[in-house]
Amino acid sequence: MARPLPSFDPQAAPAEPGPLFVDWLATALDAGVLDPQAFTLSTVDADGMPDARVLVLRDVDAAGTGWNFSAAADSPKGRQLAHHPAAALTVYWPQLGRQVRVRGSVERAADLVAAAEFATRSPAARVGALVGRQSEPLGALEEYDEAVAVARRRLEATPGAVAPGHAVYTLWAHEVEFWQGDAQRRHVRLRYTRTGPVRTPEWSRTLLWP
Ligand SMILES: Cc1cc2nc3c(=O)[nH]c(=O)nc-3n(C[C@H](O)[C@H](O)[C@H](O)COP(=O)(O)O)c2cc1C
């Protein structure tokens, strides 16, 4: 952190976390942060054992209440979310010394929503999803190449094909924390806590000791 970093005035922070996240994301893009929409999704399995992996954030609503991502429902993360529909989402933008942490419950969208989202994905992403079997043991890379070729032919023949189990999830935040690192270790942390219901959220703001 011994480098010039942006300042963050928590007193000037908006009433909801959404506009602040969008502002920080835009700043990350301007600063040349690679993959700024990549985040770590943390879940727990049926034994209560934590798990985490990097995904791409698809969308966040204006208030910063609903955070959308997509995944295969039959992958480990999909099974974990089905069993325990709660998660944490963590973003770190090193060039800016900024972290955002989101915690909340997770809801799977209707299949129609997932199918519409699937159609917006690149052909390569759709082929990958059609191959499926994510995180299963793979005997050899050639097996995967063959499965990709089959999926590619299928997509060419049926452009509207949707991967079975393709799911869109919304993490409904009950807490969103913004962390601004500081070269002098005077880090600034601001936590938003949702006080109202999901559809009509209200937020309280709290400064945290670094
Ligand atoms: C930058 C980056 C972006 C990724 N984006 C996705 C994604 O959007 N969806 C996805 O299923 N996996 C994505 N992955 C792969 C996941 O991290 C993970 O390997 C995969 O989803 C299997 O996770 P699971 O076994 O916990 O279900 C991404 C990985 C990286 C490094």
Side-chain angles (χ1 to χ4, degrees), residues 35 38 51 53-56 70-71 75-77 121 134-135:
D35 300 329
D51 203 352
R53 77 293 287 155
V54 174
L55 300 181
V56 172
S70 60
S75 65
K77 63 185 126 13
R121 302 182 72 88
Q134 192 174 52
S135 301

Side-chain angles (χ1 to χ4, degrees), residues 116-162:
E117 195 265 357
F118 194 75
T120 68
R121 302 182 72 88
S122 69
R126 278 180 282 157
V127 165
L130 284 165
V131 168
R133 304 184 62 178
Q134 192 174 52
S135 301
E136 286 182 22
L138 172 66
L141 290 175
E142 291 71 24
E143 270 181 57
Y144 176 70
D145 295 339
E146 278 169 34
V148 166
V150 170
R152 204 173 278 141
R153 284 197 295 275
R154 185 175 161 210
L155 197 60
E156 279 162 13
T158 321
V162 178

